[in-house]
């Protein structure tokens, strides 16, 4: 008598290991300065950054990467986070001609919304800020924040929702990061001169220490230490990732309509001529 096929399927499913399990903190990162402001928890499954009047804190990747998808889950500083900025970004080593992909979480007073600011530097030029509110309370639970970076585009995601696309517009003269490997960094610091309500609300140190929490680190990207990152095709080079899918485009439009608070593409007071890449909106 044979074993029912359904039984075999169940056993196979149970035996399948967790696919692409996110790594531990120490697999990818190290503290960037004072270790006593970083709390590595549960053997590296989670990490907390601590900000107080003595020090900011941060971490940085051990390796540098050229293309891929960088992802981690964050639970932002709860309660009164006004004046604080939690940043998470990738940046090349060369500062003057730097390439950089930025996600910055601008804190707020209790009950008022965080802003997610994104920016992109290519060949040393930034000034490409967008600002969004979120459709959930980012201090209540972990959410994933990620960016996909390939030859065709950079896409910022919040959970599985794309909030911004920066297309490769080299053909119309806009530099795109294709050559410089980037490290991945995160930090929590005091930026009360500009972060909250235009800098009007200052950090209330009576509410320190401020704590941001991280988990599910996933740097699915080409590490420079592994050899060449331009010769062999990786999953992110597949045509499916060259542009957003129709369903992603509708999510992006939903975000744009409901949560976009600032867009450098729509700011003639800063740019009398629209930056060229703005014409490439998906
Ligand atoms: C903070 O809350 C105020 C009032 O709701 C809002 O105008 C502002 O955009 C929020 N975010 C930041 C980072 O200032």
């Amino acid at each position: 008598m044979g074993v029912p096929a359904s039984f075999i399927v169940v056993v196979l499913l149970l035996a399948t290991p967790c696919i692409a399990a996110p790594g531990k903190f120490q697999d990818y990162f190290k503290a960037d300065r004072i270790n006593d402001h970083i709390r590595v928890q549960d053997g590296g499954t989670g990490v907390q950054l601590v900000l107080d009047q003595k020090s900011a804190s941060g971490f940085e990747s051990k390796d540098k990467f050229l293309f891929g998808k960088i992802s981690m889950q964050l639970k932002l500083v709860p309660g009164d986070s006004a004046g604080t900025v939690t940043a998470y970004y990738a940046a090349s080593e060369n500062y003057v001609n730097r390439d950089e992909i930025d996600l910055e979480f601008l804190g707020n007073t209790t009950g008022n919304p965080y802003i997610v600011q994104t920016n992109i530097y290519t060949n040393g030029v930034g000034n490409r800020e967008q600002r969004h509110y979120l459709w959930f309370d980012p201090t209540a639970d972990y959410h994933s924040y990620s960016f996909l970076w390939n030859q065709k585009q950079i896409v910022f995601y919040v959970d599985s929702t794309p909030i911004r696309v920066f297309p490769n517009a080299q053909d119309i003269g806009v530099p795109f990061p294709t050559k410089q490997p980037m490290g991945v960094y995160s930090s929590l610091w005091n930026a009360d001169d500009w972060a909250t309500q235009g800098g009007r609300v200052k950090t209330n140190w009576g509410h320190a220490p401020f704590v941001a929490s991280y988990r599910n680190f996933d740097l699915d990207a080409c590490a420079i230490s592994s050899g060449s990152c331009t010769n062999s095709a990786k999953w992110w080079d597949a045509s499916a990732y060259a542009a957003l899918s129709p369903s992603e485009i509708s999510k992006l439009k939903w975000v744009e309509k409901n949560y976009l608070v600032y867009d450098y593409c729509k700011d003639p007071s800063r740019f009398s001529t629209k930056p060229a890449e703005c014409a490439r909106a998906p």
Side-chain angles (χ1 to χ4, degrees):
M1 213 179 83
V3 179
S6 59
F7 177 76
I8 295 173
V9 169
V10 168
V11 169
L12 283 175
L13 283 176
L14 290 175
T16 306
C18 198
I19 296 162
K24 295 191 167 159
F25 176 75
Q26 61 270 22
D27 295 343
Y28 299 120
F29 297 106
K30 58 182 189 211
D32 78 349
R33 53 191 123 178
I34 305 173
N35 277 309
D36 68 353
H37 281 60
I38 278 208
R39 302 173 185 156
V40 179
Q41 302 171 310
D42 305 324
T45 311
V47 157
Q48 291 186 324
L49 289 183
V50 178
L51 164 69
D52 59 21
Q53 255 176 312
K54 275 201 307 240
S55 179
S57 60
F59 58 83
E60 61 184 50
S61 60
K62 297 175 184 172
D63 219 322
K64 306 253 184 286
F65 304 90
L66 195 58
F67 303 119
K69 186 163 185 189
I70 307 293
S71 180
M72 57 183 91
Q73 289 193 320
L74 275 77
K75 190 161 81 169
L76 299 175
V77 175
D80 179 13
S81 58
T84 72
V85 171
T86 306
Y88 154 36
Y89 59 102
S92 63
E93 221 151 18
N94 174 343
Y95 189 79
V96 175
N97 296 312
R98 77 188 193 272
D99 294 329
E100 193 173 299
I101 303 171
D102 290 332
L103 269 161
E104 294 180 307
F105 302 92
L106 317 185
N108 217 332
T109 44
T110 307
N112 281 309
Y114 262 83
I115 281 177
V116 183
Q117 173 166 295
T118 53
N119 197 4
I120 289 178
Y121 284 78
T122 61
N123 197 29
V125 179
N127 296 324
R128 297 191 173 98
E129 295 87 356
Q130 278 194 358
R131 290 181 162 202
H132 291 89
Y133 290 137
L134 293 163
W135 47 96
F136 52 83
D137 173 2
T139 72
D141 209 345
Y142 287 91
H143 289 268
S144 80
Y145 302 90
S146 49
F147 45 86
L148 171 74
W149 168 33
N150 61 31
Q151 299 268 3
K152 306 286 187 196
Q153 59 177 355
I154 293 165
V155 185
F156 293 90
Y157 289 94
V158 174
D159 295 320
S160 58
T161 302
I163 62 161
R164 175 171 187 180
V165 178
F166 182 77
N168 183 335
Q170 280 178 318
D171 59 316
I172 50 170
V174 183
F176 189 82
T178 55
K179 294 202 168 62
Q180 304 190 80
M182 299 198 212
V184 179
Y185 305 85
S186 184
S187 53
L188 171 59
W189 85 94
N190 175 39
D192 65 3
D193 53 328
W194 63 273
T196 305
Q197 300 175 36
R200 287 187 301 281
V201 183
K202 302 299 175 193
T203 302
N204 182 340
W205 293 108
H207 294 157
F210 302 101
V211 178
S213 306
Y214 298 73
R215 68 180 191 193
N216 283 13
F217 305 97
D218 194 3
L219 277 53
D220 192 358
C222 186
I224 281 303
S225 65
S226 75
S228 169
C229 289
T230 44
N231 294 337
S232 57
K234 302 286 198 304
W235 67 261
W236 51 82
D237 295 318
S239 60
Y241 303 100
L244 297 189
S245 69
S247 86
E248 284 184 317
I249 289 176
S250 57
K251 286 183 186 175
L252 182 76
K253 300 277 177 215
W254 172 78
V255 171
E256 205 173 282
K257 178 159 178 264
N258 297 291
Y259 299 99
L260 182 68
V261 277
Y262 175 81
D263 183 359
Y264 77 110
C265 284
K266 296 171 188 150
D267 188 353
S269 69
R270 279 175 81 199
F271 304 97
S272 47
T273 323
K274 236 185 218 202
E277 70 274 14
C278 296
R280 286 279 167 85

